[in-house]
């Protein structure tokens, strides 16, 4: 409501498994940022989860998604 956008326009980026669980519960795409958890830990708790090490890695992901929308 605050940003006046729909769920399909949201990308949840978080650094914890709880963030990923919340995003999935809301039906929002989730990208995990490593640091608090490793890629392996995210993979165990959130199978199929996309992970990035740096936020700049989001740019090609977003551009790719936008081109195929």
């Amino acid at each position: 409501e605050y940003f006046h956008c729909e769920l399909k326009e949201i990308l949840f980026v978080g650094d914890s498994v709880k963030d990923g669980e919340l995003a999935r519960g809301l039906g929002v795409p989730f990208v995990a940022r490593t640091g608090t958890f490793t890629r392996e830990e995210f993979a165990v708790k959130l199978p199929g989860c996309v992970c990035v090490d740096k936020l700049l890695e989001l740019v090609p992901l977003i551009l790719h998604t936008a081109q195929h929308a």
Side-chain angles (χ1 to χ4, degrees):
E1 290 179 24
Y2 183 82
F3 290 107
H4 306 286
C5 60
E6 298 177 32
L7 287 178
K8 66 180 182 179
E9 298 173 293
I10 296 173
L11 174 63
F12 194 140
V13 179
D15 65 350
S16 76
V17 171
K18 289 212 179 275
D19 290 341
E21 292 169 344
L22 176 61
R24 287 189 174 180
L26 294 170
V28 174
F30 177 71
V31 174
R33 184 178 188 281
T34 59
T36 306
F37 292 90
T38 64
R39 288 175 180 268
E40 292 78 17
E41 291 169 317
F42 278 116
V44 168
K45 299 286 187 176
L46 300 167
C49 177
V50 174
C51 294
V52 296
D53 298 313
K54 299 176 183 175
L55 293 177
L56 282 176
E57 294 174 53
L58 292 169
V59 175
L61 292 173
I62 293 169
L63 291 175
H64 177 78
T65 301
Q67 290 172 351
H68 294 93

